[in-house]
Amino acid sequence: MHVIRALVRLAIAVFAAHTLCVGLAQAAGAGSTKKKIEQFLDTDNHTNNWAVLVCTSRFWFNYRHIANTMSMYRTVKRMGIPDSHIILMLADDVACNPRNCYPGTVFDHPQKTTDLYGDNVEVDYRGYEVTVENFIRLLTGRVEQHTPRNKRLLTDDKSNIFIYMTGHGGEDFLKFQDSEEINSYDIADAMQQMWEKQRYREILFVIDTCQANTMFSKFYAPNVLSIGSSKKGENSYSHFHDRDIGVSVIDRFTYYNLEFFESVDMSSKHTMADLIGTYNATLMHSTPGVRTDLFARKLEKTYLTDFFGAVQEVELTPEPFPIGQRQEST
């Protein structure tokens, strides 16, 4: 009788120990599963890229400013950013200008090897829609309620934004269509509003105009990297005069940036330091400027694709993440 009782007690003890081990294993598994899910959903880094490309000049003799912008448009699309994430603002339509002896086209080189206008161009703000007010409203998200989706910058706190501007300017201002101007304080305040409203993670601001570097001298919002074509007191010069068209077809600063990008693709590991390292004041006929004090990362660690691309890295794991599976309570 005593032997039977001892066996029963032993069986109960073994069962209890087994139950405890199973419970601990399930708890550990649940903790591991939760950790895996948190790692999978970790969005500490940016998740999307946007581009805002702005040509502020009208009239045929400013052909090069439209070509500057269209060249940048072609580049960001080639690097993977879709039209849905590009806001293109063109103050004039030189492709359809009566003076254009190559109707429906825009070129950035006298050899005319690449038609920048092409068959797949989506202009979001055109002609007199390109104003200081509309630009500021676009950045800050203060657009009218009926504004269509293609005229909205639908970014969030995980968005990296590339802002490119070109036109005629001077110390602390950039002209819009020869009728109004935006100054460095306007853009600085707009970016601060964007930061407060969590509309970006990082901004790359590039401007090609005379005395361009003064346009970002008043910036104070965090995580903004700024690049300009010329320092205070300097002009920004054109490049490649096309005798057929009768005007210059691109600016030097933009041209040499694009020349570098022609060797870059979606999977490139080139950094901002690599790009800036190619700047040559002798070739550009002006002194490019870079402002990094508001930018948290080192240029050597900042890939060009962080702003110009739209390719997400894929991480392969030895086992699947149990997302969507229901966990049993213990």
Side-chain angles (χ1 to χ4, degrees):
M1 191 68 177
H2 291 290
V3 174
I4 296 175
R5 288 179 178 177
L7 291 174
V8 171
R9 289 175 181 172
L10 179 60
I12 293 175
V14 171
F15 178 76
H18 174 72
T19 303
L20 178 61
C21 289
V22 172
L24 291 174
Q26 289 179 343
S32 177
T33 297
K34 182 179 180 181
K35 184 177 180 180
K36 288 180 180 179
I37 294 175
E38 288 176 348
Q39 290 175 345
F40 183 81
L41 296 177
D42 179 22
T43 56
D44 184 51
N45 294 322
H46 82 284
T47 60
N48 58 95
N49 288 350
W50 286 73
V52 178
L53 312 176
V54 187
C55 169
T56 64
S57 296
R58 290 187 67 82
F59 310 120
W60 176 251
F61 57 82
N62 291 319
Y63 182 105
R64 67 188 184 279
H65 295 156
I66 288 86
N68 288 347
T69 312
M70 294 302 302
S71 298
M72 282 295 180
Y73 174 78
R74 173 182 175 271
T75 297
V76 297
K77 286 190 68 173
R78 182 178 61 81
M79 294 286 287
I81 300 182
D83 270 312
S84 59
H85 281 208
I86 302 174
I87 305 296
L88 180 59
M89 308 180 77
L90 297 180
D92 203 347
D93 187 2
V94 296
C96 298
N97 191 296
R99 296 184 181 182
N100 191 348
C101 55
Y102 300 95
T105 64
V106 176
F107 299 102
D108 62 357
H109 197 284
Q111 294 181 356
K112 304 176 182 64
T113 54
T114 303
D115 177 13
L116 302 174
Y117 213 76
D119 300 322
N120 189 23
V121 175
E122 294 185 16
V123 183
D124 302 293
Y125 288 80
R126 186 189 300 272
Y128 289 112
E129 292 179 330
V130 181
T131 64
V132 172
E133 179 182 356
N134 283 343
F135 177 65
I136 296 296
R137 285 184 177 275
L138 172 73
L139 295 183
T140 59
R142 300 177 183 275
V143 296
E144 299 291 340
Q145 185 175 1
H146 62 272
T147 302
R149 184 182 182 88
N150 71 304
K151 295 180 183 290
R152 295 173 182 261
L153 187 63
L154 302 175
T155 55
D156 54 36
D157 61 338
K158 305 301 180 186
S159 303
N160 279 6
I161 308 174
F162 167 49
I163 301 176
Y164 173 83
M165 304 185 75
T166 184
H168 289 290
E171 183 178 351
D172 286 312
F173 75 90
L174 178 68
K175 293 198 293 185
F176 271 65
Q177 310 210 33
D178 284 343
S179 61
E180 58 178 345
E181 61 188 42
I182 191 171
N183 62 51
S184 55
Y185 294 95
D186 296 330
I187 302 179
D189 292 342
M191 287 186 177
Q192 181 60 27
Q193 288 186 46
M194 293 174 71
W195 177 255
E196 292 173 354
K197 297 170 70 175
Q198 298 185 337
R199 289 181 56 78
Y200 75 89
R201 182 178 182 272
E202 293 175 332
I203 288 178
L204 171 61
F205 179 81
V206 178
I207 183 167
D208 189 349
T209 187
C210 298
Q211 307 189 64
N213 302 348
T214 63
M215 285 299 294
F216 49 75
S217 61
K218 307 302 186 296
F219 288 2
Y220 57 96
N223 292 354
V224 179
L225 172 62
S226 304
I227 302 176
S229 60
S230 53
K231 67 180 182 181
K232 180 179 176 180
E234 282 187 345
N235 293 327
S236 185
Y237 290 95
S238 61
H239 197 28
F240 290 139
H241 183 83
D242 190 314
R243 296 182 180 276
D244 294 336
I245 299 176
V247 292
S248 297
V249 293
I250 197 168
D251 281 320
R252 287 181 172 270
F253 173 76
T254 295
Y255 172 79
Y256 285 108
N257 275 276
L258 295 170
E259 186 178 56
F260 179 83
F261 271 106
E262 286 302 310
S263 63
V264 176
D265 59 24
M266 297 179 184
S267 59
S268 172
K269 295 300 181 182
H270 284 297
T271 66
M272 292 301 304
D274 294 329
L275 172 63
I276 294 169
T278 65
Y279 290 172
N280 185 323
T282 302
L283 294 176
M284 295 181 179
H285 294 183
S286 60
T287 308
V290 182
R291 183 178 176 187
T292 61
D293 60 301
L294 299 174
F295 196 65
R297 292 193 289 157
K298 293 182 178 180
L299 299 185
E300 295 80 5
K301 300 294 184 180
T302 305
Y303 294 117
L304 292 177
T305 51
D306 288 346
F307 291 98
F308 292 90
V311 178
Q312 296 293 325
E313 293 186 1
V314 177
E315 180 180 352
L316 299 179
T317 59
E319 56 186 36
F321 285 97
I323 294 178
Q325 298 180 9
R326 299 181 61 181
Q327 303 297 320
E328 298 180 0
S329 59
T330 57

